[in-house]
């Protein structure tokens, strides 16, 4: 698929007009964000841009457009790569179809915990993934937290892989997630996130998988009362910038953006943890039956075919996968 498909997207790019505007040395950036203004991601992004403006003495300013007003996530990723939008915050999941390195973090159970994910993404693993992104026109500035994704459904608690058998589970549109559910003999159903509530309510699917704030804020807990903490996916998100926009900055400005990006990630992680705890309280108060998985080893073992298939198709990423799996 080409970066732009026809004149329609060219017109969209012209409307967005997000390329870094430069006047007498000043740079004004335009940022994309899918979330509402009081979401942890949104607050951290606003903090990032405020710090950049202050530390550059107003030479680099900008605005984050929340609520997805600059388009859908797939379109925005294209626009970032083209330099039409200057910066944005994206899940690495949707990037995996076009940037293989980002798909590594979508492998089930590849991270052992959220703290381990922080450590690895802030180090050599994040650097390696960042190089793959840069080759596709995207520069990472900070790694945000999207929590751990777990299964929820309207039928039964999930304690072992056998409990997934026969369940119709909505997944994001990524072959890895389809294979993940199929490896436990479940029926994976990719569909738009906006369709999930009604689909569970009407029995089109039995459930889905997501982090606690998403399970809470969408009211999915009203129609899927069993929330099983498999924590099978820990997929970081990226505050990132268009390489085209990045290259218009001075070296000093680039250093300021990188430092401010990391600081915004630290803030976002703190805000996310608080939001996650509040969401768990909300869904439990709403009648959700939450169960913790005592032994995740059977789930991890069931993922062997997913890893085998992925590495067979991406042998050059074996070293990166091993770097994460062998980390303490």
């Amino acid at each position: 698929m080409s970066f732009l498909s026809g004149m329609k997207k060219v017109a969209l790019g012209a409307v967005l007009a997000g390329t870094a505007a430069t006047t007498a040395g000043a740079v004004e950036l335009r940022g994309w964000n899918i979330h509402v203004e009081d979401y942890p991601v949104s607050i951290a992004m606003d903090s990032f841009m405020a710090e950049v403006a202050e530390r550059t003495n107003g030479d680099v300013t900008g605005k984050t457009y929340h609520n997805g007003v600059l388009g859908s996530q797939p379109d925005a990723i294209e626009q970032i790569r083209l330099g039409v939008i200057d910066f944005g915050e994206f899940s690495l999941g949707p990037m995996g179809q076009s940037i293989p390195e980002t798909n590594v973090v979508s492998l089930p159970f590849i991270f052992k915990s959220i703290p381990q994910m922080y450590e690895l993404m802030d180090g050599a693993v994040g650097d390696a993934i960042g190089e793959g992104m840069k080759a596709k026109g995207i520069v990472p500035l900070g790694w945000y937290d999207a929590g751990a994704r777990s299964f929820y459904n309207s039928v039964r608690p999930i304690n072992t892989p056998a409990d997934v058998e026969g369940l119709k589970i909505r997944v994001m549109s990524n072959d890895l997630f389809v294979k993940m559910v199929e490896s436990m003999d479940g029926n994976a159903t990719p569909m738009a996130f906006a369709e999930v509530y009604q689909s569970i309510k009407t029995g089109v699917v039995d459930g889905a998988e997501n982090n606690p704030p998403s399970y809470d804020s969408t009211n999915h807990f009203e129609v899927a009362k069993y929330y099983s903490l498999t924590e099978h996916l820990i997929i970081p998100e990226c505050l990132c910038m268009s390489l085209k926009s990045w290259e218009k900055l001075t070296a000093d400005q680039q250093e300021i953006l990188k430092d401010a990006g990391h600081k915004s990630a630290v803030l976002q992680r703190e805000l996310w943890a608080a939001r996650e705890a509040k969401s768990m309280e909300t869904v439990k108060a709403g009648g959700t039956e939450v169960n913790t998985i005592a032994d995740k080893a059977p789930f991890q073992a069931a993922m062997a075919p997913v890893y085998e298939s992925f590495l067979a198709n991406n042998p050059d990423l074996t070293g990166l996968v091993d770097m994460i799996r062998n980390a303490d």
Side-chain angles (χ1 to χ4, degrees):
M1 179 178 175
S2 63
F3 285 173
L4 293 178
S5 55
M7 294 305 294
K8 187 174 182 180
K9 284 194 174 180
V10 172
L12 173 62
V15 171
L16 291 175
T19 304
T22 306
T23 306
V27 178
E28 185 176 352
L29 306 176
R30 179 171 290 192
W32 179 93
N33 175 34
I34 194 67
H35 301 290
V36 296
E37 292 187 10
D38 64 346
Y39 203 71
V41 165
S42 310
I43 296 170
M45 291 183 76
D46 288 340
S47 173
F48 159 73
M49 205 63 257
E51 179 171 348
V52 167
E54 180 180 354
R55 291 176 61 184
T56 62
N57 297 314
D59 286 340
V60 181
T61 60
K63 178 179 179 180
T64 301
Y65 291 82
H66 305 297
N67 291 300
V69 298
L70 296 186
S72 67
Q73 182 159 236
D75 282 343
I77 292 172
E78 280 192 8
Q79 301 299 327
I80 285 278
R81 292 168 70 173
L82 289 167
V84 177
I85 297 174
D86 301 303
F87 68 99
E89 198 276 348
F90 305 102
S91 169
L92 295 190
M95 286 189 176
Q97 302 294 75
S98 56
I99 306 174
E101 289 84 357
T102 63
N103 230 9
V104 167
V105 298
S106 291
L107 286 164
F109 298 104
I110 193 162
F111 291 115
K112 296 179 177 68
S113 66
I114 297 290
Q116 188 207 39
M117 182 272 286
Y118 293 161
E119 181 179 358
L120 295 178
M121 293 303 295
D122 287 342
V125 169
D127 290 343
I129 292 173
E131 285 303 310
M133 295 172 65
K134 193 171 182 180
K136 298 291 187 177
I138 300 174
V139 179
L141 302 177
W143 305 108
Y144 282 21
D145 187 6
R149 299 174 73 98
S150 295
F151 289 111
Y152 51 86
N153 74 93
S154 60
V155 180
R156 57 178 173 264
I158 293 172
N159 287 289
T160 69
D163 294 325
V164 179
E165 183 176 353
L167 293 179
K168 295 172 288 187
I169 302 293
R170 178 267 177 183
V171 295
M172 293 183 287
S173 184
N174 185 315
D175 291 343
L176 280 177
F177 307 143
V178 172
K179 291 174 182 174
M180 173 186 71
V181 173
E182 290 179 344
S183 72
M184 296 179 285
D185 295 321
N187 298 315
T189 307
M191 70 167 58
F193 190 52
E195 299 174 9
V196 175
Y197 183 96
Q198 192 64 20
S199 294
I200 297 175
K201 186 176 182 179
T202 59
V204 173
V205 296
D206 298 310
E209 49 84 51
N210 219 315
N211 54 54
S214 294
Y215 177 54
D216 161 31
S217 62
T218 55
N219 295 319
H220 289 181
F221 70 94
E222 295 176 351
V223 291
K225 290 293 187 181
Y226 299 105
Y227 194 34
S228 303
L229 301 183
T230 49
E231 299 182 331
H232 50 271
L233 291 174
I234 298 175
I235 304 176
E237 298 189 349
C238 177
L239 173 67
C240 48
M241 188 169 185
S242 166
L243 178 61
K244 290 180 181 290
S245 302
W246 175 257
E247 291 176 338
K248 295 179 181 181
L249 303 175
T250 68
D252 287 344
Q253 289 170 343
Q254 290 174 349
E255 284 301 314
I256 289 172
L257 262 71
K258 283 198 293 187
D259 186 56
H262 177 69
K263 288 180 179 177
S264 78
V266 173
L267 171 63
Q268 188 271 344
R269 294 168 187 178
E270 294 172 352
L271 295 171
W272 179 266
R275 175 65 178 264
E276 197 168 67
K278 182 178 179 181
S279 290
M280 288 300 291
E281 292 177 1
T282 299
V283 299
K284 287 178 180 178
T288 295
E289 180 179 324
V290 179
N291 66 290
T292 301
I293 309 300
D295 183 12
K296 294 180 182 176
F299 289 93
Q300 295 165 331
M303 296 301 112
V306 180
Y307 279 79
E308 290 170 5
S309 175
F310 178 80
L311 292 175
N313 292 324
N314 302 276
D316 55 322
L317 295 178
T318 301
L320 182 55
V321 170
D322 289 343
M323 185 189 305
I324 302 174
R325 297 186 84 182
N326 296 333
D328 294 332

